[in-house]
Amino acid sequence: MLLALLAMAFQAPLAHAHNLRKKGETVTVADSTLSVTPGRDWNRLSGKAGKNVETWTLDGGQLNDLTFFGGIVPGKPLVKERHKKKAPLPKFRKVTLLVELPELLEGTYRTYKNIGTFRLISTNPIKFLGQDGVTFTYEYTDQDQITRKGEATAAIVAGKLYMVSFDAPRLHYFERTIADVRALVATATL
């Protein structure tokens, strides 16, 4: 009985730290109308980087980071600015083109994540959310000197930016999870 009580006591705080996104259950993300249906269980992290931003992980944010940007409006950055004067973030603009979205994400990462090295590997057109979109892969080295690989898929719908990005250490974690991420992105609807 004592062991059961102790087990419950240790489990209770964990339930509030993250929110499980269950396999096969459609959920709306990033305080928007963007919905996805995960093909496996994910953990939704409790912290928010911005108003219309939500992050999921499997093993922790440093090992795999799946971020949803839901309906970013013109004039706003992808994430909340920490220091508007000292470190302003690039803004999504009404005139932003699909081909400029990798540059928008790069500029955001350079400032928000304080990285110096960012390399765009590929950019390809794709249908996303029923619209013309873009998918792109990239690599960057973070402050811990770990090379991370990422892939993002984005579209501009009714003047708002919808994007899903996935980042993980290049060795092992990216390749282990990218097929699950692509399957999840394929379920996205508005």
Side-chain angles (χ1 to χ4, degrees), residues 36-76:
V36 294
T37 306
R40 66 182 298 174
D41 291 348
W42 287 82
N43 290 305
R44 176 180 178 235
L45 297 179
S46 57
K48 289 184 70 168
K51 180 180 176 187
N52 296 105
V53 181
E54 182 172 314
T55 303
W56 295 5
T57 188
L58 294 171
D59 305 299
Q62 289 294 88
L63 298 178
N64 36 51
D65 180 334
L66 177 64
T67 302
F68 300 92
F69 302 92
I72 306 297
V73 297
K76 296 293 182 183

Side-chain angles (χ1 to χ4, degrees), residues 108-183:
T108 300
Y109 277 24
R110 285 186 183 277
T111 302
Y112 191 77
K113 295 184 177 198
N114 197 23
I115 62 165
T117 303
F118 187 103
R119 182 174 68 95
L120 186 62
I121 298 170
S122 67
T123 305
N124 295 295
I126 191 171
K127 285 290 186 188
F128 181 56
L129 302 173
Q131 305 289 317
D132 288 337
V134 64
T135 187
F136 53 97
T137 56
Y138 50 90
E139 286 185 354
Y140 65 92
T141 304
D142 66 10
Q143 292 180 335
D144 294 331
Q145 299 303 308
I146 295 172
T147 300
R148 298 184 184 283
K149 188 171 181 180
E151 183 171 291
T153 302
I156 299 169
V157 182
K160 296 179 180 177
L161 173 61
Y162 294 87
M163 182 164 50
V164 181
S165 67
F166 174 69
D167 301 331
R170 182 180 59 191
L171 298 176
H172 181 66
Y173 286 95
F174 183 84
E175 293 303 327
R176 185 184 85 174
T177 310
I178 192 60
D180 293 321
V181 171
R182 290 175 181 153

Side-chain angles (χ1 to χ4, degrees), residues 20-32:
L20 182 65
R21 297 301 191 203
K22 293 183 181 177
K23 174 183 177 178
E25 292 184 9
T26 301
V27 293
T28 57
V29 294
D31 293 330
S32 71

